[in-house]
Amino acid sequence: MKKLYVLSIIILVIVTAAGCKVKSFEQKDRSIIICSNEIIDDLVNTIGGDFIKTNIAIRKGNDPHSYTATERDIISITDSSLIIYNGGGLEGRLEWALGKIGNITPAISIMKNIPEEKFIYKDDVLNPHIWHDAMLWKSVAIFIADNLATMNEENHQIYYQNEEIVLYTLEKLDKYIKEQVALIPAEKRILVTEHDAFAYFGRAYGFETLSMQGVSTYSEVSSIDINNLADILIEKNVDTIFLEATVPDRNIRLLQATLKAQGHSVKIGGILYSDTLGNNNTYDKMMRHNIDTIVKALSK
Ligand SMILES: [Zn+2]
């Protein structure tokens, strides 16, 4: 709690400092769009093409849940034409910082476009990891194309042409994932990870998802959490668990050791990209990496 309080004071100082440096509308480089993370950045760039420039707030490969806006980030946001972020609590303290900045820069949450009935909650907390359902991501692509077209009507035809390609690619990806899932025996379609990042993936593609943490990586994992999950995995005869690229492997290794101590051996099925693109560089490649890793580990 004390840590949070100190953090809040630091950010308040940052925001106040940045406020002094806010440039007038005329001075801003209006062509720059800030995307909160690399997954959104990939989509915005694919639709915007050569007609937009983007910067990413959360450094590539970093865990979005622990994000805190730096002074440089705040200045860069206030200098830009638009910020596009996920929302739903994904990006750590970003939404809080945006609230403090006010409406100097228009901000769009892609989750605002998703109908409420599509959302998944865990213990009454909204799960923000919507991109793992390619068809939900399709509706985000439409939303972004519409926004770019409204912002810059001159290039709207280009955005809509690029949107068509994105939608086609997403449909192909969705089909590919479904074909791959069919290779996994039904009883083995259980995905065990550190945090609850794959709930939308599980619902879209027919997996039960289990994790030690909730929808964020922010909470501490207790030995009770690990023991509870271990009991479930023994009961369901799960023999494979997965690491996540942005989360330390300590708790998954502890889970593995806890199970081993009870005579239940589980293997590590590979590393999944829950909250970043990693070295896949594009959304499409990241999603294909994940499903290929899952199929390789669970279809044996
Ligand atoms: Zn996450």
Side-chain angles (χ1 to χ4, degrees):
M1 201 59 208
K2 192 181 172 191
K3 196 177 161 192
L4 265 181
Y5 175 73
V6 173
L7 198 64
S8 303
I9 295 292
I10 291 168
I11 291 174
L12 191 62
V13 170
I14 286 170
V15 169
T16 310
C20 300
K21 294 177 187 172
V22 167
K23 293 179 183 172
S24 70
F25 185 88
E26 291 73 24
Q27 286 174 305
K28 287 186 176 194
D29 182 350
R30 304 305 291 178
S31 64
I32 290 187
I33 295 171
I34 303 289
C35 298
S36 66
N37 66 42
E38 53 188 302
I39 302 168
I40 294 172
D41 185 71
D42 177 60
L43 183 59
V44 173
N45 267 298
T46 313
I47 295 171
D50 296 334
F51 295 90
I52 56 155
K53 280 187 272 179
T54 61
N55 282 329
I56 305 172
I58 300 168
R59 310 292 174 265
K60 278 179 179 284
N62 282 8
D63 177 7
H65 300 288
S66 55
Y67 173 74
T68 298
T70 63
E71 179 178 358
R72 205 172 143 196
D73 293 342
I74 300 288
I75 292 168
S76 145
I77 291 168
T78 54
D79 276 356
S80 67
S81 57
L82 174 71
I83 173 162
I84 304 177
Y85 65 104
N86 194 85
L90 176 77
E91 293 104 334
R93 303 280 285 168
L94 176 69
E95 286 176 75
W96 185 88
L98 289 178
K100 288 287 166 193
I101 294 170
N103 40 21
I104 294 168
T105 300
I108 297 173
S109 160
I110 56 170
M111 286 199 76
K112 292 264 163 68
N113 170 57
I114 306 289
E116 173 68 31
E117 66 269 18
K118 302 271 186 193
F119 287 149
I120 297 176
Y121 290 82
K122 184 167 186 176
D123 302 327
D124 292 331
V125 181
L126 175 60
N127 192 322
H129 303 85
I130 53 169
W131 59 92
H132 287 294
D133 175 346
M135 288 300 96
L136 272 187
W137 206 232
K138 193 176 152 184
S139 65
V140 172
I142 295 166
F143 179 62
I144 286 177
D146 286 344
N147 272 283
L148 292 183
T150 307
M151 259 183 69
N152 185 348
E153 216 171 303
E154 203 181 315
N155 296 320
H156 77 276
Q157 274 184 324
I158 306 283
Y159 300 143
Y160 286 130
Q161 277 167 16
N162 290 341
E163 179 200 12
E164 287 301 313
I165 299 166
V166 171
L167 300 188
Y168 175 70
T169 309
L170 286 170
E171 274 162 25
K172 253 177 47 180
L173 172 68
D174 187 67
K175 188 167 172 272
Y176 176 75
I177 297 173
K178 285 173 178 159
E179 283 165 2
Q180 294 306 300
V181 171
L183 303 173
I184 305 171
E187 71 278 7
K188 294 200 78 176
R189 292 176 198 167
I190 300 175
L191 201 53
V192 183
T193 53
E194 165 82 26
H195 84 300
D196 194 21
F198 292 93
Y200 291 91
F201 179 88
R203 183 180 67 187
Y205 303 111
F207 287 85
E208 181 179 357
T209 54
L210 297 165
S211 60
M212 280 172 280
Q213 288 192 308
V215 301
S216 170
T217 56
Y218 211 64
S219 60
E220 288 290 319
V221 173
S222 70
S223 56
I224 297 170
D225 296 326
I226 293 175
N227 288 333
N228 285 346
L229 184 55
D231 288 346
I232 296 168
L233 300 193
I234 291 169
E235 188 196 315
K236 291 179 179 285
N237 200 24
V238 172
D239 63 2
T240 308
I241 55 182
F242 292 88
L243 301 176
E244 291 177 53
T246 42
V247 187
D249 63 2
R250 198 179 73 93
N251 292 322
I252 285 286
R253 302 281 180 196
L254 272 172
L255 174 67
Q256 192 179 28
T258 304
L259 285 160
K260 195 177 176 191
Q262 295 182 57
H264 186 91
S265 166
V266 289
K267 68 176 189 293
I268 303 290
I271 300 174
L272 302 179
Y273 292 93
S274 49
D275 290 5
T276 56
L277 299 179
N279 52 15
N280 303 290
N281 290 327
T282 69
Y283 168 83
D284 189 68
K285 284 185 184 159
M286 178 273 288
M287 292 291 282
R288 283 171 189 261
H289 163 91
N290 282 350
I291 189 59
D292 290 346
T293 303
I294 293 165
V295 169
K296 199 173 165 196
L298 299 184
S299 60
K300 283 175 190 162

